[in-house]
Amino acid sequence: MEPSKKTDSQPEIRDSELPLDVVKHNEMQTSNQRQGRRRIPRFFWLAFIPLFLFTGGVIGIYVQPPPLRYFLKITGLRPGGGTSNPIAVPVEQDAESEPEQATIRTVVALGRLVPEGKVITISPPFGAGDARIDEIKVEIGSRVERGETLALLDNRASLESAVASAEANVALQRTALAQTRMTIGAGLGEAQAALDRAKAGEALALQEYKRMKNLRGQNAVSQSELDQASAEFSQSRKDVAMAEATVTRFTAQEMETQPDVAVAKRKLDAAIADLNRAKHDLARGIVTAPVTGTILDIYARPGEKPGTKGILDIANVQRMTAELEVYQSEIGVIAVGQHVELSADPLTTSLFGIVSEIGFAVERQTTIRDDPAANTDARVIRVTVNLDADSSKRAARLTNLEVTGRIAVEDAQ
C-alpha cells in the first residue's frame, strides 16, 4: 500500500501547541558551538604573539628566505649590523673556509753576540816596518769618532823631519821662481836699453858716414877715412839688429811661458809633490780610527812592536747582533722577520730580536755544546739576529758571549 499522503484538509499542528518544547537538531548544534567559543577567553591568543614573533625571527635568521633577502637589499640593512657581536652574517657573504691550523715550534741554535759590523782589529799602517808603539791615546771602553788618533809610532819623528825638509824645499823653489821672473823682467829692460843705445850709435855712425862722404867729394879727407866711417856705420846697424833680437826673445812670449819661468815652475811642482808624499808618509806613524765605535781591547803597549793580534779592537757596541749557527737541515723553515729569544748563563733575563739576514754558505760549526756527545762536525748556516734596543743595550758589554737562540717558526698542518 502507498503511504498516506498529507492533504490540505488536515490541520497544521504548530510547535507551540504541543505539550513539550520541540528543539530542532540544527539549532541545537549551532547553540553548542556558540557556547564552546564563549568558553575560550579572548585574551588567551595574546600569549601566542611573542611565540609567533620569536619563531619568525629564528626562521628569518637561519633560513633567510628570498623576500627577506630582497628587503635587506633594498633597505641596505645587514644581518647583525646593529651589534658588535652579530650571530648572523650577511646573506651574500660566502662561508669562509676554515684556515689551516698552524703550530708554533722553536728551532734551537748556538751562537754568539757580536756588534753590528763585527769587531775590527786595528793593525799598524802600511809601510810602518819595524816601528814600535810610542804612545796609546785611548783606553779600553773609550768612545772614539772616525779619524780620531788612537796611537803614535816611534817612526813619527823621522817622518815629521821629512815633511819639514819637503816644506823647506817648496819654499826654496817658490823663491827661485820669483827670482826667475824678476831676472827675466830685468833682462827685458836691459835688452830694451841696449836696443836704444844701438839705434843711437847707428844714427851717429850714419851721420858721420855722410859727413865723411861729403868731405871726400871735396878731397878734404882720404879714402881710408871714408872707408872707416862706412865700416863703423855697418857695425852700428848690426848692433841694432842684435839688440832687437834680444828684445824679441823677451817679448815674443808671456812671462809665464818663458822657458826659464817654465823650468822654475816645474821644479816647484816637483817640490810640492815631494811635500805631499812626505805628509802621506807621516800617516805611517799615526794610527787613526777607521770607524766610530768603542775600544774593546788593547794588545800592544808603548815600546812594543805590534804582533799578529794588531794594536787594538774597535766595534760599534751600541747596536748589537747575534750570529746563530743553524743546522743545514733546519734552515728551510728559517725566514727573515722571525722572532728570536736568546739566553745564556750570565744573562738574568733573555734577549730578544728578529732574524735580519740568512747566510748563503754552509760552514763547519764553530760553537760547540759542552756535552761530550755533541756533534762537533755539523754543517751549519749563519743566521744574523738584530737585537731590539733594550736587549742591545744590555748586551753592549758582552761581545762574543756564547748564547742559545730559539727561533719561533710555524709549521702548517
Side-chain angles (χ1 to χ4, degrees), residues 181-197 243 246-247 250-251 255:
R181 289 170 176 164
M182 292 179 62
T183 302
I184 292 176
L188 176 59
E190 293 176 356
Q192 189 64 46
L195 177 60
D196 295 340
R197 185 171 58 252
T246 303
V247 172
F250 287 107
T251 59
M255 175 67 72

Side-chain angles (χ1 to χ4, degrees), residues 238-319:
K238 293 180 181 179
D239 292 342
V240 170
M242 185 179 298
E244 287 178 345
T246 303
V247 172
T248 302
R249 182 171 64 86
F250 287 107
T251 59
Q253 296 176 331
E254 297 293 334
M255 175 67 72
E256 298 302 319
T257 58
Q258 292 289 332
D260 293 343
V261 174
V263 171
K265 288 175 67 176
R266 298 291 83 79
K267 290 182 178 180
L268 176 60
D269 292 341
I272 293 176
D274 291 340
L275 175 61
N276 292 333
R277 183 172 59 253
K279 288 182 178 180
H280 184 269
D281 293 342
L282 183 61
R284 298 178 182 177
I286 303 175
V287 181
T288 58
V291 296
T292 298
T294 302
I295 305 302
L296 302 182
D297 203 352
I298 298 176
Y299 302 114
R301 297 296 176 180
E304 297 178 350
K305 181 180 178 180
T308 56
K309 289 185 176 181
I311 300 175
L312 50 84
D313 286 342
I314 184 174
N316 182 18
V317 298
Q318 291 186 342
R319 300 185 64 179

Side-chain angles (χ1 to χ4, degrees), residues 113-178:
L113 298 179
V114 294
E116 187 179 57
K118 299 186 178 181
V119 178
I120 300 176
T121 299
I122 306 300
S123 299
F126 174 77
D130 294 333
R132 288 169 170 75
I133 301 297
D134 182 51
E135 182 181 0
I136 298 292
K137 293 286 188 178
V138 294
E139 298 178 353
I140 296 177
S142 299
R143 179 76 178 174
V144 297
E145 299 295 330
R146 176 184 175 91
E148 186 174 342
T149 300
L150 303 178
L152 300 176
L153 304 181
D154 60 359
N155 63 348
R156 182 170 53 92
S158 60
L159 296 174
E160 289 178 347
S161 299
V163 171
S165 176
E167 289 176 344
N169 187 31
V170 169
L172 176 62
Q173 296 302 327
R174 290 186 190 279
T175 304
L177 176 60

Side-chain angles (χ1 to χ4, degrees), residues 198-377:
K199 287 182 177 181
E202 180 187 16
L204 182 60
L206 177 60
Q207 183 179 2
E208 180 65 18
Y209 173 73
K210 290 180 178 180
R211 188 179 70 84
M212 294 299 291
K213 187 175 182 180
N214 291 331
L215 292 176
R216 178 59 183 165
Q218 299 174 4
N219 291 322
V221 293
S222 63
Q223 182 63 37
S224 63
E225 290 177 335
L226 177 61
D227 293 341
Q228 180 66 30
S230 176
E232 291 178 355
F233 173 62
S234 178
Q235 182 62 39
S236 65
R237 294 179 65 182
K238 293 180 181 179
D239 292 342
V240 170
M242 185 179 298
E244 287 178 345
T246 303
V247 172
T248 302
R249 182 171 64 86
F250 287 107
T251 59
Q253 296 176 331
E254 297 293 334
M255 175 67 72
E256 298 302 319
T257 58
Q258 292 289 332
D260 293 343
V261 174
V263 171
K265 288 175 67 176
R266 298 291 83 79
K267 290 182 178 180
L268 176 60
D269 292 341
I272 293 176
D274 291 340
L275 175 61
N276 292 333
R277 183 172 59 253
K279 288 182 178 180
H280 184 269
D281 293 342
L282 183 61
R284 298 178 182 177
I286 303 175
V287 181
T288 58
V291 296
T292 298
T294 302
I295 305 302
L296 302 182
D297 203 352
I298 298 176
Y299 302 114
R301 297 296 176 180
E304 297 178 350
K305 181 180 178 180
T308 56
K309 289 185 176 181
I311 300 175
L312 50 84
D313 286 342
I314 184 174
N316 182 18
V317 298
Q318 291 186 342
R319 300 185 64 179
M320 296 294 292
T321 64
E323 282 189 353
L324 301 180
E325 297 179 347
V326 179
Y327 290 124
Q328 60 182 2
S329 59
E330 297 281 4
I331 199 64
V333 297
I334 305 300
V336 174
Q338 292 174 336
H339 293 273
V340 183
E341 179 182 359
L342 304 172
S343 60
D345 293 337
L347 298 175
T348 56
T349 58
S350 298
L351 304 177
F352 299 94
I354 60 173
V355 175
S356 61
E357 183 180 350
I358 301 175
F360 290 90
V362 179
E363 305 175 5
R364 185 174 181 178
Q365 186 178 12
T366 58
T367 306
I368 309 299
R369 296 180 182 271
D370 294 334
D371 185 2
N375 184 5
T376 60
D377 193 29

